[in-house]
Amino acid sequence: MTDGHSATASDGRAPIRLGTRASRLAVAQSQDVADRLAKAAGRPVELVTVTSEGDTNRASLASLGGTGVFASALREALVAGEVDVLVHSLKDLPTAPYEGLTIASVPKRADARDVLVARNGATVDTLPEGAKVGTGSPRRVAQLKAKRPDLDVIDIRGNIDTRLGRVDDDLDAVVLAAAGLGRIDRLNAATELLDLGFWPSAPGQGALAVEIRADETDRNLLAALRKLDHAPTRLTVTAEREVLAKLEAGCSAPIGATAVVDAELLLVSATVYRPDGSEYRTASHAAHLDGSAQDRLDEALEVAGRVAAELLENGAAELADLASSVSAAPAEGDHSAGPGLATPAAEQPADDGSTTTTA
């Protein structure tokens, strides 16, 4: 493949190469971003399929080191110049910085909730005693056990269609992300939307991250990505991921986090679970937002830090053995919300006079 810094790329004529996994969901969300990016940049965007270990190894996600396993091969392709941009599910992206890369855009978030897909229209409360419920997420396991200790929670892998198919086969229900079902037009399969109050989802769930090389010089591409950035989403997911980072936990940890903005008030809440759901710790803090985009992001980081500190003071690390969930250790002394997330897109490199949209 050609180098992403070719002369034709910088003059805006070459197609933008967008790296994606091959799954139906990954392609759907990548194509959505590709369509918007093509419109913003005024040039074609082509999808380039990259296969990760998570796509070929059927072991449990926890044993592979968490959902970050899906991002590694994509990032290697970006660093190597084989693609120009990546689209990640933000909840799958480790919080540790990745050398040479930055998150240039966080589009508007979809539904952050989890859903239950069950036989006979069942809800969590109406599932039969001992029902078999499938999930590959330690957080969801703990939440299900906290609500219904009698459930037989089964560790499963596979794409969305495979998981949905098992509900008609060997499982009574599965728990999935509402955003994923929505992106492949299967949200009608859900029998219950799980409220974020009792069922906080993974930090960043429902949001996408568009990642580029930190030294990218294509001004047309950078300007287009700024147009895709959604400031309120960047603010809330930064806060959620900062809780995860300050807890020094990996994205496979049994942690749920929710950040919302209401009338210039940012509320950040997080819960850490014992893996069997028998015990959990919750902390919530809020702050009034004011000032520039960077001031607001700094406030989000500060509030998230307070949430994490309270959780740690109350024994969260011992409760869930958070250290063992880390899939990619942060650089020494650096436990931030991740590459580029805490920097407003409008303040990132190669400003060419365009402005960031928050629509």
Side-chain angles (χ1 to χ4, degrees):
M1 289 189 176
T2 58
D3 191 313
H5 295 279
S6 65
T8 53
S10 61
D11 69 15
R13 291 197 299 267
I16 298 167
R17 300 163 302 166
L18 190 155
T20 179
R21 293 170 56 211
S23 74
R24 181 183 176 189
L25 173 57
V27 170
Q29 64 193 27
S30 294
Q31 188 62 59
D32 178 63
V33 172
D35 291 343
R36 286 187 281 166
L37 185 57
K39 182 177 180 180
R43 61 199 266 209
V45 178
E46 59 185 29
L47 299 189
V48 178
T49 301
V50 179
T51 301
S52 72
E53 182 184 2
D55 295 310
T56 57
N57 191 325
R58 307 318 298 170
S60 71
L61 284 180
S63 68
L64 291 176
T67 50
V69 69
F70 293 122
S72 58
L74 288 166
R75 287 172 145 182
E76 289 167 6
L78 181 57
V79 169
E82 297 170 359
V83 296
D84 304 307
V85 297
L86 302 175
V87 174
H88 303 282
S89 291
L90 191 51
K91 72 180 179 65
D92 295 341
L93 209 55
T95 59
Y98 195 98
E99 185 176 359
L101 302 183
T102 189
I103 296 173
S105 184
V106 182
K108 187 176 182 179
R109 190 178 203 167
D111 195 331
R113 292 175 292 181
D114 281 334
V115 301
L116 185 78
V117 179
R119 299 186 189 195
N120 304 317
T123 65
V124 173
D125 288 337
T126 63
L127 284 168
E129 185 173 354
K132 294 184 177 181
V133 183
T135 178
S137 160
R139 170 187 57 82
R140 290 170 178 156
V141 171
Q143 289 173 328
L144 287 164
K145 287 292 191 178
K147 185 72 170 179
R148 290 281 306 272
D150 62 290
L151 295 177
D152 182 10
V153 184
I154 309 296
D155 182 61
I156 62 171
R157 289 286 312 281
N159 60 38
I160 292 179
D161 290 322
T162 297
R163 296 182 188 213
L164 291 174
R166 293 189 63 175
V167 177
D168 295 322
D169 185 13
D170 62 324
L171 298 175
D172 295 292
V174 293
V175 180
L176 299 167
L181 285 176
R183 286 174 179 136
I184 64 167
D185 297 320
R186 293 296 306 273
L187 191 56
N188 61 350
T191 56
E192 183 180 15
L193 287 163
L194 303 179
D195 183 79
L196 289 172
F198 186 85
W199 306 87
S201 53
Q205 183 163 310
L208 301 176
V210 186
E211 193 169 41
I212 61 172
R213 288 179 291 273
D215 63 352
E216 180 60 68
T217 58
D218 185 336
R219 294 167 66 87
N220 168 263
L221 172 60
L222 293 168
L225 288 171
R226 285 196 293 275
K227 293 178 182 178
L228 267 59
D229 196 67
H230 186 248
T233 294
R234 182 178 284 267
L235 186 71
T236 53
V237 299
T238 293
E240 292 171 9
R241 284 170 57 81
E242 181 70 358
V243 173
L244 193 65
K246 289 297 190 213
L247 291 174
E248 298 186 30
C251 43
S252 66
I255 296 172
T258 303
V260 295
V261 177
D262 184 15
E264 297 304 294
L265 181 71
L266 172 67
L267 175 65
V268 182
S269 179
T271 302
V272 178
Y273 301 86
R274 190 179 292 281
D276 64 3
S278 62
E279 198 176 353
Y280 55 87
R281 303 281 188 273
T282 297
S284 299
H285 287 273
H288 286 282
L289 298 169
D290 196 14
S292 69
Q294 185 62 62
D295 291 336
R296 294 159 70 92
L297 282 165
D298 289 343
E299 192 66 48
L301 295 173
E302 193 276 331
V303 174
R306 283 191 273 136
V307 170
E310 182 177 325
L311 288 168
L312 291 172
E313 288 169 6
N314 291 333
E318 294 75 21
L319 192 72
D321 189 18
L322 299 180
S324 67
S325 69
V326 178
S327 58
E332 185 176 354
D334 188 347
H335 302 288
S336 65
L341 256 184
T343 302
E347 296 182 21
Q348 289 178 359
D351 184 12
D352 62 355
S354 63
T355 58
T356 301
T357 179
T358 58

